[in-house]
């Protein structure tokens, strides 16, 4: 076992595997492909996010849920438009009530907001100016990793 560790260590330091130098620019990974279950609105959101951000696997699952919610909202909007955008409908006892699609859309919008907040994506302008953005712990860890502290 010790011989294997020495072999790996010596191979790494002899140049057999290239190690990135400090300050080296690493190539950006190819953006993750949108899941096939997404419709048009969800796919647009997916592509906009992965174009500018590199996400971990758990963040990709949250993004997928956000994109599916976006598709649900688009479906509600389409159905509501096809119905003539009614604000009221008739309740069970004949009274006027708020159309159920309005409440469902509001619930889906709240869910979408929660999912997007979980991603903690900083504004692109904040990153460019060197601010920590929505996730200061991640920014601090990245800075420590970059500088080797």
């Amino acid at each position: 076992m010790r011989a294997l560790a020495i072999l790996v260590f010596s191979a790494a330091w002899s140049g057999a595997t290239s190690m990135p130098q400090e300050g080296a620019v690493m190539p950006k990974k190819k953006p993750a492909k949108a899941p096939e279950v997404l419709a048009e609105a969800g796919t647009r959101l997916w592509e906009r996010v992965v174009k500018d951000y590199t996400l971990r696997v758990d963040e990709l699952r949250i993004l997928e849920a956000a994109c599916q919610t976006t598709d649900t909202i688009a479906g509600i909007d389409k159905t509501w438009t096809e119905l003539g955008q009614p604000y009221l409908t008739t309740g069970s006892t004949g009274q006027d009530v708020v159309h159920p699609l309005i409440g469902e859309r509001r619930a889906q919008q709240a869910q979408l907001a929660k999912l997007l907040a979980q991603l903690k994506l900083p504004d692109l302008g904040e990153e460019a100016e060197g601010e920590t953005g929505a996730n200061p712990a991640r920014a601090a860890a990245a800075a420590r990793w970059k500088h080797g502290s």
Side-chain angles (χ1 to χ4, degrees):
M1 185 62 132
R2 181 182 163 113
L4 178 61
I6 292 171
L7 180 63
V8 170
F9 180 76
S10 63
W13 285 103
S14 69
T17 56
S18 61
M19 302 291 289
Q21 300 296 317
E22 184 174 333
V25 177
M26 298 298 291
K28 187 173 181 178
K29 290 183 179 179
K30 184 177 178 184
K33 185 180 176 197
E36 292 184 17
V37 298
L38 299 179
E40 184 180 343
T43 300
R44 277 195 316 267
L45 175 60
W46 179 279
E47 290 172 350
R48 282 179 34 206
V49 172
V50 299
K51 176 182 72 121
D52 294 324
Y53 301 100
T54 302
L55 302 178
R56 300 182 316 254
V57 174
D58 59 317
E59 293 170 327
L60 289 172
R61 293 291 297 144
I62 294 169
L63 177 60
E64 181 179 355
C67 292
Q68 289 174 330
T69 303
T70 300
D71 285 337
T72 300
I73 293 170
I76 290 169
D77 289 347
K78 181 180 178 200
T79 301
W80 192 56
T81 300
E82 289 170 354
L83 293 173
Q85 298 181 337
Y87 286 94
L88 298 176
T89 189
T90 304
S92 61
T93 59
Q95 80 281 20
D96 286 339
V97 295
V98 175
H99 198 282
L101 286 177
I102 294 172
E104 183 57 29
R105 188 178 198 286
R106 183 173 48 242
Q108 293 296 320
Q109 285 177 309
Q111 176 67 13
L112 178 59
K114 287 178 184 178
L115 290 166
L116 293 175
Q118 284 181 327
L119 290 176
K120 298 180 182 174
L121 299 175
D123 291 339
L124 289 176
E126 290 177 354
E127 281 185 350
E129 296 169 12
E131 296 179 15
T132 58
N135 196 342
R138 181 185 283 183
R144 285 191 305 271
W145 180 261
K146 180 178 178 184
H147 298 297
S149 300

